[in-house]
Amino acid sequence: MQKKSVEKVFFENIGGSFQFRARNAADLKKILFLDATAWAALCVPASSLNGDPAFFKALDNDNNHMIQTGEVKSAIAWLMDILADTSSIDNGSDAISVNAINAASCEGATLSEFIAANRVDLDNGSGEITLAAVRAKLAAVTSGALAGNGILNAKAVTDVDAANLYKEITTLLNTPDQLTLPVLEKFLADAQSFVDWSKTAEKPLYNGDAPEKYYDLYQKLSGKIDEYFRYCRLLCIDSAHAARFELDPAKLPELDINDSAKIDTLLDSAPLARPATDMVLDLNAVSNPVYQRSASDFAALFNIRELTPEIWQDLKASFTDYTNYLNRAQGDLAGKLGVEKLEHYLEQSEADTLRKLFTRDRELAGVVDNLRKLERLLLFSRDMITFVNNFVSFSEFFSQEQRSMLQAGRLVMDGKSYNLAVWIDDPAAHKKIAVRSNLCLLYLEVVSCDNPADKRKAAVAITGGSLDRIYVGKPAYFIDNNNRSYVGKVIDMVEGPISFSQTLFAPFRRLSAAISGKIQKLTDFSSTEKQLAQSIDSGTLQPAPAAPPKSSFVQKLGGNGMMMLLAGGLSLAAIGAGLSFIFKSIVSAVVAISLMPWYLIFTWIAVFAGIILIPMAIFAAIRLRKRNLTMFLEAGGWGINLPMRLNICVSRLFTRGTRYPENARFAVVKKPARRMLRLGLFILIVLATAALLYWYGVIPCGKMFN
């Protein structure tokens, strides 16, 4: 029994995990059967990637702005089905041979026929189709009045009568310069329905009379009468609501009596009359002056003096037929053009002219669709291997030779190039997750030097150097992967470990800063002076006891000067005492050390250094090892499947120093005499100090070398 041969799939150690790296078209086919658990990423926001936007849009089948594993597999399967010769994929070329298309597949056959029909524009007899030629043909086809997108614009309608119909429809629908075939057909159907209805519909009468005069007055008072009865029902529930209709002069809103518009608005919003629990409205006793005349006319026309809710509901019901008639006659969208105009458009050829334009546009849509497929084919052929090596694996992300699609570009700052940068939309949201990555991060807000409207935000990881000269607000210079320059500033920071030396000596820097702060605080007399001044101004300073007669100097100094002098003297005394203690401690330590053999001195120095530095070195190594690239990318919306640690070797890939030209020459700068003088003075002070200590017997030099 023969064993079934299985093609081997090789994985490489990339960034600390085994990942599949694609090198040719044959490797792309293997991705179709690669389990999702072996992919480096599962989804990625298209906006965060660098490359041809048309390529990412072609990958995003569902237009949700996220590229997922299923969409990548679908794109690879489609590419392999269309191409019979995959050499263009291996070469990463944006040109394919006409004979490379698989005519045996359904879409391949369609594309082959289309290329044959448009060979002059696409391959110009060379037998090769290029991305530039396809895009030039696509631009020429879609730049005319008809774009093949199913949308008719006003420029495409040259017939005068058809243009009138086009304008009528787009004006009614409030869609200027945009009409689709379904909208046109619906309008014509509504127009026919309205014309048919108007031929049979009869206008209802009111009590055997023309309803217009009754309905107009009814419409004018309808809302206010409904409002009056609502207020009455409120009183019926609880009479305490009557207080709502009482105006408190102290709480009246401001009103400009010269502003007639505001006065009219206030009167119009007032009730017809004061609400009452008997639910009766006397039309001849309406208190609102704006509606008094209308209410009197209403009472006379309808022969009703008092309205109750029951009478009012019956009156409203009597207008139901006429209201429905008006809703159809006036509310129908097509009917707003009038029966006569609608009949004209239905009988004449304007609609047919528009339909013919849509037919031509549909034919053009077939050309555009084939050109889009050719563009997609050429983009996939050129960029698919590059993309999968930034998605299925991160081989290009960890490459020294090139910058990957993941990286937005590089930040140039403080003599270094920081290359681990990604585009983001919301720095605050990114920071909430990225802070767990244990990385040192900068957030930038930059503007393109070429296009001021191009404003973007980026997150940059600092993997080398230091933060000594970096701060929020520092100007930033950014270069994207297409060598476009951006300028901006640092808008936020997240501190974290950068390098081994920086992490190792961070506690010493913090200790030094704390000591410096204490010394500065100790020598700062401003708070003491402020407290004394406040005590003197408030009169709470206790008078000093009787003292001997003042000298002339003390008299000139005054009380305030004496207090300040006293405070300064106390501070200087404290400093002197502290320095004296430190000096005595140092002298005692030197005396003790001088009595020890020299080899024992160096042994103890090594032991103490080891006790301090070894744990700190271990702690620094652990902090550096905890740096996590996965969290950094996931904060930007990536779905990362494999863990990625940022070790010391990988850190060097993303931060580099200045690169000088190969033919650079550096002039040797001689040290100035001033620097040599300082060094000599320092040596002289050390020797003088040692001589004094030896003179007083503090350092018996002979014992150190016995």
Side-chain angles (χ1 to χ4, degrees):
M1 183 176 179
Q2 294 181 350
K3 293 183 179 179
K4 185 178 179 181
S5 61
V6 179
E7 191 173 2
K8 294 182 179 179
V9 181
F10 293 96
F11 290 82
E12 299 180 14
N13 190 335
I14 301 173
S17 60
F18 287 98
Q19 303 177 26
F20 176 76
R21 179 182 178 186
R23 291 181 172 83
N24 49 44
D27 289 339
L28 287 182
K29 293 180 182 179
K30 297 175 184 177
I31 293 176
L32 298 175
F33 308 99
L34 189 65
D35 188 75
T37 57
W39 291 46
L42 302 176
C43 61
V44 56
S47 61
S48 68
L49 294 169
N50 291 282
D52 195 328
F55 171 76
F56 303 128
K57 185 176 181 181
L59 277 176
D60 185 17
N61 290 333
D62 54 7
N63 294 320
N64 67 344
H65 308 294
M66 291 288 291
I67 299 174
Q68 303 168 344
T69 55
E71 292 172 328
V72 177
K73 285 186 175 182
S74 176
I76 294 174
W78 181 83
L79 179 62
M80 295 303 168
D81 181 61
I82 297 293
L83 287 182
D85 181 4
T86 58
S87 59
S88 60
I89 300 177
D90 299 338
N91 301 328
S93 173
D94 62 354
I96 60 173
S97 171
V98 175
N99 299 324
I101 297 178
N102 182 17
S105 70
C106 181
E107 286 191 74
T110 303
L111 289 178
S112 296
E113 294 175 2
F114 176 76
I115 293 170
N118 297 271
R119 179 156 291 182
V120 175
D121 296 327
L122 295 177
D123 68 353
N124 199 20
S126 64
E128 237 183 20
I129 304 171
T130 64
L131 182 61
V134 171
R135 284 181 166 174
K137 175 71 174 176
L138 186 60
V141 168
T142 56
S143 61
L146 297 176
N149 56 0
I151 300 175
L152 203 62
N153 56 42
K155 185 171 62 173
V157 187
T158 56
D159 182 80
V160 177
D161 295 332
N164 289 334
L165 175 58
Y166 178 93
K167 185 177 180 180
E168 296 277 17
I169 298 174
T170 54
T171 302
L172 281 175
L173 300 176
N174 195 24
T175 56
D177 204 33
Q178 189 173 354
L179 180 66
T180 62
L181 183 60
V183 171
L184 172 64
E185 297 297 348
K186 184 178 184 307
F187 172 81
L188 295 174
D190 292 343
Q192 186 64 58
S193 174
F194 184 81
V195 170
D196 294 341
W197 171 82
S198 64
K199 291 178 179 179
T200 58
E202 294 184 1
K203 182 167 63 175
L205 301 177
Y206 184 80
N207 293 334
D209 196 1
E212 286 81 4
K213 61 180 180 179
Y214 297 95
Y215 187 77
D216 291 344
L217 198 54
Y218 161 78
Q219 279 289 92
K220 189 173 183 179
L221 289 175
S222 177
K224 298 301 293 184
I225 295 175
D226 284 335
E227 178 190 73
Y228 173 79
F229 286 124
R230 279 198 302 273
Y231 292 159
C232 291
R233 294 189 191 96
L234 198 62
L235 292 182
C236 292
I237 294 173
D238 191 342
S239 59
H241 288 294
R244 298 182 183 277
F245 304 101
E246 299 291 341
L247 295 178
D248 185 357
K251 296 181 180 180
L252 285 177
E254 294 184 3
L255 178 65
D256 185 0
I257 60 174
N258 295 320
D259 191 339
S260 58
K262 288 187 177 180
I263 294 175
D264 291 342
T265 302
L266 182 62
L267 291 173
D268 187 69
S269 62
L272 288 176
R274 183 179 294 275
T277 55
D278 58 1
M279 304 283 286
V280 175
L281 174 61
D282 188 346
L283 294 173
N284 291 324
V286 170
S287 59
N288 191 326
V290 177
Y291 296 97
Q292 284 177 349
R293 178 66 181 272
S294 299
S296 299
D297 294 343
F298 189 93
L301 184 62
F302 287 92
N303 195 21
I304 299 174
R305 179 181 176 181
E306 292 183 343
L307 269 180
T308 63
E310 293 77 13
I311 296 175
W312 175 238
Q313 291 300 323
D314 293 340
L315 187 61
K316 290 173 68 175
S318 65
F319 282 103
T320 301
D321 293 339
Y322 186 66
T323 301
N324 294 336
Y325 173 84
L326 289 180
N327 288 339
R328 182 64 192 271
Q330 299 176 359
D332 192 284
L333 195 62
K336 290 183 178 181
L337 296 181
V339 174
E340 184 178 351
K341 188 176 286 188
L342 291 178
E343 288 178 338
H344 169 80
Y345 286 136
L346 290 171
E347 293 172 359
Q348 301 303 318
S349 60
E350 290 90 344
D352 291 334
T353 302
L354 295 178
R355 289 191 182 102
K356 290 177 182 178
L357 289 174
F358 279 114
T359 301
R360 287 172 51 194
D361 184 79
R362 189 163 52 249
E363 294 171 354
L364 186 62
V367 176
V368 173
D369 183 57
N370 284 322
L371 288 172
R372 295 286 185 199
K373 287 181 179 178
L374 281 176
E375 182 188 31
R376 184 186 186 203
L377 176 64
L378 291 164
L379 287 171
F380 285 0
S381 174
R382 182 190 68 182
D383 296 335
M384 188 58 74
I385 288 183
T386 301
F387 175 76
V388 298
N389 286 331
N390 287 276
F391 190 85
V392 179
S393 73
F394 285 154
S395 58
E396 290 198 0
F397 183 66
F398 293 102
S399 171
Q400 291 183 342
E401 290 77 19
Q402 56 190 344
R403 211 167 293 129
S404 72
M405 288 182 173
L406 282 70
Q407 295 165 269
R410 60 192 180 98
L411 170 66
V412 180
M413 184 177 285
D414 283 347
K416 290 189 175 359
S417 176
Y418 303 104
N419 303 327
L420 184 50
V422 294
W423 295 122
I424 58 174
D425 296 324
D426 187 353
H430 187 277
K431 183 179 178 180
K432 287 181 180 178
I433 301 175
V435 71
R436 299 168 58 190
S437 67
N438 203 36
L439 289 170
C440 180
L441 304 176
L442 299 181
Y443 290 97
L444 310 178
E445 191 175 65
V446 294
V447 180
S448 172
C449 297
D450 301 323
N451 181 16
D454 183 11
K455 298 180 181 180
R456 309 195 70 175
K457 295 181 179 65
V460 183
I462 307 299
T463 62
S466 67
L467 289 178
D468 293 342
R469 295 193 301 159
I470 299 178
Y471 52 89
V472 174
K474 184 179 179 69
Y477 180 72
F478 193 84
I479 304 172
D480 71 3
N481 285 348
N482 296 318
N483 287 324
R484 291 189 294 260
S485 300
Y486 293 79
V487 293
K489 62 181 179 179
V490 178
I491 59 174
D492 201 358
M493 295 174 59
V494 175
E495 292 192 11
I498 298 177
S499 62
F500 182 78
S501 59
Q502 180 264 347
T503 308
L504 178 63
F505 294 107
F508 295 105
R509 285 194 294 270
R510 287 195 291 268
L511 179 61
S512 175
I515 294 173
S516 300
K518 291 293 184 182
I519 294 175
Q520 184 177 3
K521 187 175 181 181
L522 185 63
T523 58
D524 186 8
F525 304 144
S526 59
S527 59
T528 305
E529 294 174 2
K530 186 176 180 180
Q531 290 177 2
L532 288 171
Q534 289 177 351
S535 299
I536 293 169
D537 293 339
S538 61
T540 58
L541 187 65
Q542 297 296 328
K550 301 179 182 178
S551 64
S552 60
F553 171 75
V554 175
Q555 289 176 351
K556 292 179 181 179
L557 191 62
N560 293 349
M562 280 294 296
M563 294 303 298
M564 293 173 61
L565 182 62
L566 178 61
L570 290 174
S571 299
L572 290 174
I575 293 173
L579 292 176
S580 176
F581 175 76
I582 293 172
F583 181 75
K584 288 180 179 179
S585 300
I586 292 174
V587 170
S588 301
V590 170
V591 171
I593 292 173
S594 66
L595 300 176
M596 298 171 60
W598 66 270
Y599 59 87
L600 196 58
I601 294 174
F602 289 106
T603 301
W604 278 109
I605 291 174
V607 169
F608 279 116
I611 292 173
I612 295 173
L613 293 179
I614 291 176
M616 294 178 64
I618 296 173
F619 176 73
I622 292 174
R623 286 201 68 193
L624 288 172
R625 183 172 175 76
K626 286 183 177 180
R627 292 182 298 175
N628 191 338
L629 285 176
T630 301
M631 287 289 184
F632 177 68
L633 294 175
E634 286 181 341
W638 282 73
I640 305 299
N641 194 36
L642 300 177
M644 293 190 297
R645 299 289 181 185
L646 185 65
N647 55 41
I648 296 176
C649 296
V650 175
S651 298
R652 296 176 185 147
L653 298 176
F654 301 120
T655 300
R656 63 172 177 81
T658 304
R659 289 182 178 177
Y660 296 102
E662 294 181 359
N663 57 351
R665 297 292 182 269
F666 300 94
V668 178
V669 181
K670 294 182 179 180
K671 295 182 179 180
R674 187 182 302 173
R675 187 177 301 176
M676 298 299 295
L677 182 62
R678 290 175 182 172
L679 179 60
L681 183 61
F682 174 75
I683 294 174
L684 183 62
I685 292 172
V686 171
L687 292 176
T689 304
L692 287 172
L693 293 175
Y694 173 73
W695 179 265
Y696 287 102
V698 176
I699 303 179
C701 295
K703 294 183 179 181
M704 293 184 63
F705 301 98
N706 290 337

